[in-house]
Amino acid sequence: MSEVATLPTRRDEAWRYADIDAVAKLGAAGIADWQDITIAAGETKRICLIVGGDAPEVTRIRLKVGDGATGEVFATSAGDDYTRLEIEVTLGKGSHFEFGGVTIGGGDAVREFVTQTVHAQPNATSNQTVRSVHWGAAAGNFLGEIKVARDAQKTDAAQDFKGLLLEAGASANAVPQLEIFADDVKCAHGATVGQLDEAARFYMAARGLSPQEAQRLLVQAFIGDAFVELEDEEEREKLLEKALAALEGAAL
């Protein structure tokens, strides 16, 4: 039997905000497995995931996207314990990667998305949109690394993270990383963290909406950006409803 990977520590950049105590409960074997997926040239594959439960959970996916192919991953992370979705993507010539994710919840859980996108060939594109909504002492993290190889000219890559904190004890962390060796590329990233718009809440209350209804509508509008590119309406509703269901018991 081959030796499994050792446990990470916070000295490892990709695990710097992780709940290391929860990772230790999983053990090295519990985080060693990767799901390897290859998308043939010209094909499209979509993966929709709801991750997280009442115990620590790590899901790791490797995508190899062939020339002219498209790989899409959409996810809601709303578990009550440490939850990590890690995705490594290698893009072929003229291919595209789309990621949309929502982390949401309270308690003291850490929920995080970690992506590494390698633009290995020219003319590939990638777009990542992450929304994080937390309260209590919970944390939502997004660590997104983009690597552009020397021959990967005409790369167009973007990351967009926004965090919404419903209580002062919650936190959101975004760590965009760029490693670019080509000179004809577009790589953009943005990260903001804030609170609910009190003026909007007042406006809704003045028109008869309860605090719970107002909060749900505002959060729904906020997280909806993550699933704009998901064309399957049924899957989009599943991911949204799972996220919004987590709002029960959230701070008002």
Side-chain angles (χ1 to χ4, degrees), residues 19 22-23 25-26 51-58 78-84 109-110:
D19 183 341
V23 174
K25 293 179 183 178
L26 287 168
V51 295
D54 57 4
E57 178 180 312
V58 174
D80 294 324
D81 206 326
Y82 175 68
T83 307
R84 177 186 179 97
V110 176

Side-chain angles (χ1 to χ4, degrees), residues 6-18 20 23:
T6 58
L7 283 171
T9 71
R10 287 197 179 89
R11 290 190 297 272
D12 300 306
E13 181 64 27
W15 296 84
R16 64 184 293 188
Y17 294 112
I20 295 299
V23 174

Side-chain angles (χ1 to χ4, degrees), residues 168-184:
S171 61
N173 303 291
V175 184
Q177 293 179 295
L178 302 176
E179 185 178 279
I180 303 171
F181 293 101
D183 55 15
D184 186 5

Side-chain angles (χ1 to χ4, degrees), residues 44 90 131 161 164 200 242:
T44 296
T90 301
R131 297 293 179 262
F161 173 88
L164 183 63
K242 182 63 177 180

